Amino acid sequence: MRYVAPTSIEEAISVLVADGSAQVYAGATDFIPQLRMGRPEPDLAVDVKRIDRLVGLRQEEDRWVIGAATPSVRLGEEAALVAELPGLVESANLIGSDQIQSRASLGGNLCNASPAADSVPAMVVNNGRAVIAGPDGMRTIPVSSVVISPGRTSLGRGEFLVELEFDRPPPRTSDAYLRFIPRTEMDIAVVGVGVRLSLDEAGRCEDVSVALGAVAPTVVSVPSAGEILIGNALSEDALSQVAEEASAACNPIDDKRGTKAYRRQVAGVLTVRALKIAAARIGSQPR
């Protein structure tokens, strides 16, 4: 296996186009363990962490732009990002240990295409966009369109993820991410739930997004949550209905971490808890 570390987007594209078997990685926090577990080695390993644009984090007038290889720990150090997108940051800060977070990234977590990836539900509810570079130029697609099945993405030959974009949230809007794992930390999610919520001054829901991880081959959105909540307060009855819809949206498997029935139940419970956290965060925002 050969190793290259391009320092520009153009160089990376050239390398990837020349070798169709090349494997892109950033922090290698998934890449190395997968090789050790017996996954076939690619002929060429392409380390993109030396490309400046991929390791940046910036706040623009109307959006946040996060380089695909920016270490997760960097997100938690950006106070303004934590204030505006706390759920996104907390999902990134659940990826592995402190040491892992100094290498792991949102882009790597997304492109590894694990059904249980912690940050993907949080990115989906925040309408994240993926900026992709390739031989035909740059293109931007929804984060929800990147992963097509476990371990597979929609990126073509010569393409790789450059940045992730998130619009800055409007007033009285917040998000939250919760997961359930068998241990207290450093484990794979049995269920992960990302939510984003907007409330008016009277506490009625103006907008809501719910996305579930680890309960299907790819992240599952729950659009019926909006049908129940928009225009209404977050009453226990309404939240109970949303929990039922979240459970029904699941298409899980039985494995050593949990049964299908257990995952469905947990998905509903975590959805309600996450919505309450997001609502509390809105309530604590300055008016």
Side-chain angles (χ1 to χ4, degrees):
M1 182 172 62
R2 295 177 294 116
Y3 165 87
V4 296
T7 57
S8 69
I9 291 174
E10 295 74 19
E11 182 186 358
I13 293 171
S14 177
V15 168
L16 293 171
V17 169
D19 190 335
S21 70
Q23 172 72 51
V24 173
Y25 74 88
T29 59
D30 288 306
F31 179 59
I32 297 301
Q34 287 166 356
L35 294 182
R36 289 175 173 169
M37 291 172 62
R39 178 173 291 190
E41 291 186 359
D43 294 333
L44 180 65
V46 183
D47 181 354
V48 295
K49 223 175 181 69
R50 296 187 184 179
I51 302 174
D52 289 343
R53 187 170 169 183
L54 270 72
V55 291
L57 169 60
R58 66 184 187 274
Q59 178 186 19
E60 299 184 349
E61 182 177 352
D62 60 348
R63 62 180 177 169
W64 285 94
V65 181
I66 303 172
T70 304
S72 297
V73 68
R74 175 71 180 85
L75 277 57
E77 296 170 345
E78 188 71 32
L81 179 64
V82 174
E84 293 193 359
L85 298 172
L88 178 66
V89 174
E90 61 198 3
S91 73
N93 288 342
L94 287 173
I95 302 172
S97 64
D98 291 345
Q99 294 90 339
I100 291 294
Q101 288 169 26
S102 69
R103 295 288 299 174
S105 63
L106 292 181
N109 200 225
L110 174 62
C111 291
N112 187 52
S114 166
D118 281 308
S119 68
V120 181
M123 288 194 275
V124 169
V125 297
N126 281 296
N127 300 312
R129 299 179 297 275
V131 180
I132 298 164
D136 296 324
M138 306 286 282
R139 64 187 179 102
T140 302
I141 62 174
V143 163
S144 58
S145 299
V146 173
V147 180
I148 57 176
S149 65
R152 293 184 60 211
T153 73
S154 60
L155 276 63
R157 178 167 177 167
E159 290 190 323
F160 65 100
L161 181 61
V162 175
E163 292 172 332
L164 294 154
E165 299 178 341
F166 302 93
D167 290 335
R168 298 183 64 191
R172 297 191 59 78
T173 297
S174 194
D175 66 336
Y177 176 77
L178 290 175
R179 71 174 183 184
F180 176 78
I181 57 175
R183 303 187 298 182
T184 56
E185 59 184 331
M186 289 179 62
D187 207 343
I188 298 172
V190 175
V191 177
V193 178
V195 305
R196 174 170 156 143
L197 182 67
S198 297
L199 299 177
D200 65 17
E201 292 289 343
R204 293 183 295 264
C205 180
E206 292 186 323
D207 193 23
V208 63
S209 296
V210 176
L212 312 174
V215 296
T218 60
V219 167
V220 176
S221 293
V222 189
S224 54
E227 299 170 10
I228 296 167
L229 292 179
I230 292 176
N232 299 309
L234 300 186
S235 67
E236 290 300 324
D237 180 63
L239 291 173
S240 178
Q241 293 180 56
V242 172
E244 291 179 3
E245 291 297 316
S247 295
C250 299
N251 181 25
I253 60 171
D254 291 321
D255 64 14
K256 63 183 179 181
R257 292 185 174 83
T259 64
K260 296 176 183 178
Y262 185 63
R263 281 191 160 97
R264 290 190 179 101
Q265 176 69 16
V266 171
V269 171
L270 291 188
T271 297
V272 171
R273 290 180 182 176
L275 285 168
K276 289 181 176 179
I277 291 171
R281 286 173 172 167
I282 293 170
S284 65
Q285 291 176 354
R287 297 181 181 271

